[in-house]
Amino acid sequence: MSRTLVRRAFKYRFYPTCAQAMELSRTFGCVRLVYNKALAARVEAWNCGQRRVTYGQTSAMLTEWKRREELTFLGEVSSVPLQQTLRHLQGAFGNFFAGRARHPRFKSRKKSRASAEYTRSAFRWRDGRLTLAKMNEPLAIVWSRPLPEEAEPSTVTVSRDAAGRWFVSLLVETSVDHYPPIATAVGVDVGVTTLVTLSTGERIANPRHQQKDQERLARAQRTLARKRKGSANREKARRKVARLCARTADRRRDFLHKLSTRLVRENQTIVIEDLNVSGMLRGGRLARLISDASWSQLRSMVEYKAVWHGREVIAIDRWFPSSKTCSACGLRVDSLPLSVREWTCRCGAVHDRDVNAAKNVLAAGLAVTACGDGVRPTRHSLARQPSQPPFRG
């Protein structure tokens, strides 16, 4: 059986001591400050003289910032996370100029994710115990699943979410077994009421995790709005809202992991539609339901798991009329409103809208592959061309 060598992150929850929590909180603040100052320097250099600032130049700036009296606290935390955030900024600009992402934005203390990345020189891994730089005790990690045997982390990312939970992500290099080859192929049509409809006729209902806790979340948000800004009670109310949101996100992620694993395990070829999900979320009555369904997250999981286990994913054109085409005779109807869930073709075939679409998605994907012009999953550009960078001062 063949295997694939992959870099895989294992995320665990941990419970820091008071001293560790204070040290990590200081590190998060310094990482955010360095990122924002470096980004501001890059923006100013471009606005003033159309100059691009490199990683090496921002690294020299960091050394200079540490010498300032008002920024001496930058030298009290580990230097590795500060250097790593400069590398992340360099990568963000690289993606921006390559047209793969939007222009980097400044990090907010309240809204941005609090995290810090440590490389091998800034942590000690010994006998399954992880100790970070500037700390005397190892982290109290809850090992919810074992690490691969003889795997040693190359980088460690520590984060704290809005609900106050602490997580550590260990990046290791490990091998993943390919599933045995099979002759099964499936077309996948995503929806709101039914999350996934397969070309086999099977339907997988949308759990609607957000809707289940919508009343509790709305009540908690109203309570938060009544609290005085800056008070301890407002912070307690904010944490309650964050915990409800985190609970919904955890349930959704767990469900999508199980669904994507099943699709990859049971099928050699998976055909999907290249939907413009971000465009669908910009407006309309279904925006909240589409967001709760997380089609993009499901697609991402299917794609990387297929690569790991030797499967194939094919994405067909988003403009392909899968719902309006008869899967029996190929006739295309002119109009088919969303309210029409079942229709009859002139050939006499009676179609369920979603099952028919999934069958057409599968046929289109297999036809393109048979012609030797396989369509691979592609992400559409979110950024403007590098010749017109929207820098802001």
Side-chain angles (χ1 to χ4, degrees), residues 320-336 342-364:
F320 175 69
S322 57
S323 298
K324 297 190 292 185
T325 303
C326 175
S327 58
C329 67
L331 176 68
R332 175 181 172 183
V333 298
D334 295 331
S335 178
L336 193 66
E342 188 175 289
W343 59 284
T344 303
C345 180
R346 295 178 184 176
C347 66
V350 179
H351 295 297
D352 177 275
R353 181 192 185 98
D354 297 333
V355 175
N356 177 66
K359 291 180 179 179
N360 286 325
V361 167
L362 174 61

Side-chain angles (χ1 to χ4, degrees), residues 26-39:
R26 283 196 299 265
T27 303
F28 294 160
C30 292
V31 165
R32 183 179 62 252
L33 175 64
V34 170
Y35 185 95
N36 288 341
K37 287 181 70 67
L39 177 55

